[in-house]
Amino acid sequence: DADWMQADTAARTVTLTIVAGQDATNNNWNFNGYANGNATVTVPEGFTVTINFSNQDPNMAHSIGVSLRQTGPWSATPDPTPVFAGAVSSSPTSMTDATLVGETETLTFAATTVGEYALVCYVPGHATSGMWINFDVVAGGEPGVMSVR
């Protein structure tokens, strides 16, 4: 299990600590050091998800939100409308008003629909450059994180 996910199955909650630019992976355009779908967060349908999001990239603002997973390359400007109400950080497409270096933001939403989604940075060019990881909502099952490096 990843140390950045805490789950309470009795309370049906998952808390994710997601750091943008945690390390130099993908030119700092990563979530917890993962990029290009190299991690998959799995959450059971109906769970409440809290994302404690922070930005440690020394150079750039980032955002996070839940989007439909793409089958091909990401658009340079993906639609920042979240799949679930509340599942997007503030000013997600702004290079100057998204989550700035050293800032934090908390998102809370209900994972209400089974499907294959992604956690995406909506700042223009970031998702198409690999700043996204998988986010799956499953019927039943257990919360977890699987990674491929």
Side-chain angles (χ1 to χ4, degrees), residues 82-121:
V83 173
F84 306 113
V88 67
S89 56
S90 58
S91 303
T93 62
S94 174
M95 290 188 233
T96 57
D97 294 325
T99 307
L100 299 174
V101 177
E103 289 186 341
T104 62
E105 192 166 347
T106 300
L107 321 173
T108 300
F109 60 93
T112 55
T113 306
V114 170
E116 293 182 339
Y117 307 103
L119 296 176
V120 177
C121 180

Side-chain angles (χ1 to χ4, degrees), residues 135-149:
F135 183 86
D136 292 347
V137 178
V138 297
E142 294 291 321
V145 175
M146 185 175 68
S147 64
V148 178
R149 291 243 189 202

Side-chain angles (χ1 to χ4, degrees), residues 67 70 72-79 120-130 132:
S67 180
Q70 302 296 301
W74 286 91
S75 163
T77 55
D79 179 4
V120 177
C121 180
Y122 293 108
V123 173
H126 290 205
T128 196
S129 295
W132 64 278

Side-chain angles (χ1 to χ4, degrees), residues 1-140:
D1 290 329
D3 61 358
W4 46 273
M5 173 189 244
Q6 289 77 43
D8 183 336
T9 54
R12 299 177 53 82
T13 62
V14 168
T15 301
L16 302 169
T17 302
I18 305 284
V19 179
Q22 177 174 295
D23 59 25
T25 300
N26 200 42
N27 195 35
N28 294 312
W29 292 10
N30 65 74
F31 294 125
N32 293 353
Y34 298 98
N36 293 296
N38 285 340
T40 301
V41 174
T42 302
V43 174
E45 179 183 24
F47 272 48
T48 298
V49 179
T50 298
I51 298 176
N52 295 314
F53 180 61
S54 64
N55 182 4
Q56 292 181 3
D57 182 328
N59 304 306
M60 181 141 321
H62 291 292
S63 63
I64 193 168
V66 180
S67 180
L68 289 174
R69 190 172 310 159
Q70 302 296 301
T71 56
W74 286 91
S75 163
T77 55
D79 179 4
T81 304
V83 173
F84 306 113
V88 67
S89 56
S90 58
S91 303
T93 62
S94 174
M95 290 188 233
T96 57
D97 294 325
T99 307
L100 299 174
V101 177
E103 289 186 341
T104 62
E105 192 166 347
T106 300
L107 321 173
T108 300
F109 60 93
T112 55
T113 306
V114 170
E116 293 182 339
Y117 307 103
L119 296 176
V120 177
C121 180
Y122 293 108
V123 173
H126 290 205
T128 196
S129 295
M131 194 166 181
W132 64 278
I133 60 174
N134 298 308
F135 183 86
D136 292 347
V137 178
V138 297

